[in-house]
Amino acid sequence: MEKEIKLFRNSKKTKNLLLTSLAVCIILLLVIIYSAGIFDGELKIKPLVFSSGAFLIMLILLLKSVLSLKDKSPLIELNKQTFYGKTTPVSKSFGIVNWEDVADIQLQKTGGDTLVVVSINNPEKYEGRLSKMFWNIAYNNSTNQLTLMYSASEIDIDANELFNLFNKSWKESTSLNR
C-alpha cells in the first residue's frame, strides 16, 4: 500500500440517518403524549416511562450526531502500519491499532447495520485506552482478544467495500513485515 486511505463522512448517508433518528424521536414523542393521557384522559405509566427513556436516549444521540457534523476529519484511516476509525463509540475511544496485532477481520450483520469486526491479539498492549464499560464490551475472555467494530453507515462506501479495504490493508501490512 503506497499511501494512506482516508474515508470521510458521506453527507447524504448522514442526513438519512439523522432524518431517521428524528422520525423515531417524533414517534416516541407522540407515544409520550398519548401515554400521558392527553387524548383520552387515561394515564398509562409503563408506556410513558419506557417511551420517555427511549426518547431521551434518542434525543441525546441525535444532538450528538448533529454536533459531530462540524468535524471534517476522516472517519476511518488506513495506512501501512496502523488503522484508526471513529464510526462506533468503542472504536472512536480505542484509537490507533497496529496491523501486526490483528488476528482476524470479519463482516458481521448486527441489528440494521453490517459491521467490519476486527479481532486484536495482545490486549495488554492496549489496556488503559478504554473505560471499564467499553473494555468489557470489547474484551473476549475466552479468546483473550479485543473486538472492535467499524460501520460504513456514514462513510462514502458500503460495508463490503470497507471489509475489502480492511482485508487488503491488513494483508499488505503483513507482507511488508515479513
Side-chain angles (χ1 to χ4, degrees):
M1 186 168 29
E2 294 91 33
K3 59 182 178 180
E4 223 173 40
I5 297 171
K6 294 182 179 188
L7 303 173
F8 293 90
R9 183 180 315 276
N10 180 324
S11 60
K12 185 177 179 184
K13 282 184 175 181
T14 302
K15 286 176 188 172
N16 287 340
L17 281 172
L18 291 176
L19 288 174
T20 303
S21 298
L22 182 62
V24 170
C25 283
I26 291 170
I27 291 169
L28 288 170
L29 188 59
L30 290 173
V31 171
I32 290 170
I33 292 170
Y34 174 75
S35 299
I38 302 291
F39 299 122
D40 60 1
E42 185 180 329
L43 179 66
K44 297 155 194 78
I45 298 290
K46 287 182 182 179
L48 179 64
V49 170
F50 172 76
S51 57
S52 297
F55 174 75
L56 285 174
I57 291 169
M58 285 298 297
L59 186 63
I60 289 168
L61 292 173
L62 179 64
L63 292 174
K64 227 175 153 181
S65 296
V66 168
L67 291 174
S68 73
L69 290 176
K70 291 181 182 178
D71 183 11
K72 301 296 181 195
S73 63
L75 293 179
I76 295 178
E77 291 184 54
L78 309 166
N79 64 37
K80 288 186 238 182
Q81 291 87 20
T82 62
F83 64 95
Y84 169 74
K86 50 185 179 178
T87 59
T88 63
V90 174
S91 66
K92 183 177 184 176
S93 296
F94 195 81
I96 297 172
V97 182
N98 293 324
W99 284 114
E100 64 189 23
D101 296 323
V102 174
D104 189 31
I105 301 174
Q106 296 179 359
L107 198 58
Q108 180 180 359
K109 182 105 171 124
T110 305
D113 199 3
T114 303
L115 303 169
V116 175
V117 180
V118 181
S119 300
I120 301 168
N121 288 326
N122 199 8
E124 301 82 23
K125 179 178 177 180
Y126 298 102
E127 205 162 353
R129 287 191 181 191
L130 297 172
S131 67
K132 187 173 183 169
M133 180 184 76
F134 280 165
W135 184 265
N136 289 335
I137 291 170
Y139 184 68
N140 184 337
N141 283 328
S142 62
T143 61
N144 192 34
Q145 292 179 336
L146 292 168
T147 304
L148 297 177
M149 298 180 182
Y150 299 88
S151 173
S153 62
E154 289 185 84
I155 57 177
D156 287 328
I157 60 174
D158 69 9
N160 289 322
E161 289 177 77
L162 182 62
F163 173 72
N164 291 336
L165 272 177
F166 265 86
N167 258 331
K168 181 181 175 194
S169 299
W170 179 37
K171 288 175 181 164
E172 288 178 2
S173 74
T174 55
S175 68
L176 291 173
N177 292 332
R178 288 183 184 176

